[in-house]
């Protein structure tokens, strides 16, 4: 499963979220998507980034999203609840 981090350049909160993903040991599964280059994504996430989402290749639907603020414990629970250990 692929974890999407909706982000944008210069976002210090996004950098903190990415750091938590690295600490959780899932960096290889993370795809960072810059919302600045997509009007629909910017409209949806412009004031709420960073936001995490998990795309399951066996399904067309995304998991519930995890929006900031979150800490390492909340991230671990969310990852576990979505089948990423």
């Amino acid at each position: 499963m692929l974890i999407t981090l909706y982000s944008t350049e210069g976002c210090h909160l996004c950098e903190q979220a990415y750091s938590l993903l690295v600490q959780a040991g899932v960096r290889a599964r993370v795809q960072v998507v810059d919302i600045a280059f997509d009007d629909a994504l910017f409209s949806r996430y412009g004031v709420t980034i960073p936001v995490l989402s998990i795309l399951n290749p066996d399904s067309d639907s995304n998991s519930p999203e995890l929006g900031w603020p979150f800490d390492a414990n909340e991230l671990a629970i969310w990852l576990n609840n979505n089948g990423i250990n």
Side-chain angles (χ1 to χ4, degrees):
M1 285 187 258
L2 182 66
I3 303 164
T4 301
L5 169 60
Y6 294 105
S7 177
T8 197
E9 188 175 329
C11 171
H12 72 284
L13 297 177
C14 301
E15 292 169 5
Q16 290 176 25
Y18 184 79
S19 181
L20 289 172
L21 290 163
V22 170
Q23 291 173 25
V26 295
R27 175 175 47 191
R29 295 181 177 189
V30 176
Q31 170 189 15
V32 179
V33 174
D34 192 327
I35 65 167
F37 302 106
D38 184 308
D39 290 340
L41 291 177
F42 187 80
S43 178
R44 181 171 179 176
Y45 298 114
V47 296
T48 61
I49 58 171
V51 174
L52 301 176
S53 181
I54 296 176
L55 179 62
N56 183 344
D58 299 328
S59 172
D60 290 334
S61 63
N62 285 346
S63 71
E65 296 175 338
L66 180 62
W68 192 261
F70 54 85
D71 60 21
N73 186 54
E74 291 168 314
L75 174 60
I77 291 168
W78 183 78
L79 290 169
N80 188 54
N81 287 345
N82 287 287
I84 299 176
N85 301 332

